[in-house]
Amino acid sequence: MHLILYDGLCGLCDRFNRFVLAHDSAERFQFASLQSPLGCSIAQRFGEDSGRLTTVLVVSDYDGAVPRLHVKGDAALVVLEGLGGHWRWAHVFRILPRGVVDWAYDLIAHNRYRLFGRYDACPLPDPRYRARFLDE
């Protein structure tokens, strides 16, 4: 099981979560906002500042013996690859230098509120997916 830690006020993050939920038929991913107590504590456990909401964080095997933190472009690729099906082809982007992938990620992340909006409060997930959100 993998955990996606996201900015709960970000319109792009909300769209990303809905995309993952729609394509994650194996239910490999769970979610927690970085503003939640759980999200803050997990981010801090890995030395990340949850107040610095500039990236999505993915903790692979977060409930296992050896969880691993992924950030920026690596996090996005872990998610796409984990969705399976034709999304696993995202691994081809791993041939690019990490700096290039992270530069593209940073470009989008820097403009995400302007391009995708910002919520005043974290949107509630569809009730059928509520159990996959670990915020409470």
Side-chain angles (χ1 to χ4, degrees):
M1 189 68 67
H2 309 304
L3 180 63
I4 297 173
L5 299 171
Y6 64 95
D7 177 356
L9 305 178
C10 172
L12 177 58
C13 296
D14 181 57
R15 286 177 178 90
F16 180 70
N17 289 347
R18 285 188 277 146
F19 170 83
V20 172
L21 288 165
H23 294 91
D24 184 20
S25 58
E27 297 186 2
R28 292 182 181 105
F29 294 95
Q30 290 186 310
F31 307 83
S33 77
L34 284 163
Q35 289 90 348
S36 71
L38 176 65
C40 286
S41 69
I42 292 174
Q44 288 174 352
R45 187 172 77 186
F46 285 97
E48 293 290 327
D49 178 5
S50 63
R52 191 197 75 182
L53 303 173
T54 59
T55 184
V56 65
L57 304 173
V58 174
V59 182
S60 58
D61 300 317
Y62 82 94
D63 56 350
V66 186
R68 182 170 173 219
L69 181 70
H70 304 272
V71 298
K72 296 187 179 191
D74 184 44
L77 291 175
V78 165
V79 172
L80 291 173
E81 293 163 355
L83 293 177
H86 63 278
W87 296 109
R88 71 178 180 268
W89 287 99
H91 79 275
V92 301
F93 289 105
R94 294 206 182 270
I95 65 170
L96 297 172
R98 181 180 221 141
V100 171
V101 175
D102 285 346
W103 174 83
Y105 183 95
D106 287 339
L107 182 65
I108 295 167
H110 180 72
N111 295 294
R112 72 187 191 280
Y113 291 144
R114 186 171 51 82
L115 296 172
F116 298 97
R118 179 182 170 113
Y119 297 106
D120 293 331
C122 189
L124 294 174
D126 185 309
R128 63 187 161 165
Y129 300 123
R130 184 67 203 126
R132 293 177 64 189
F133 286 77
L134 308 179
D135 294 303
E136 299 177 331

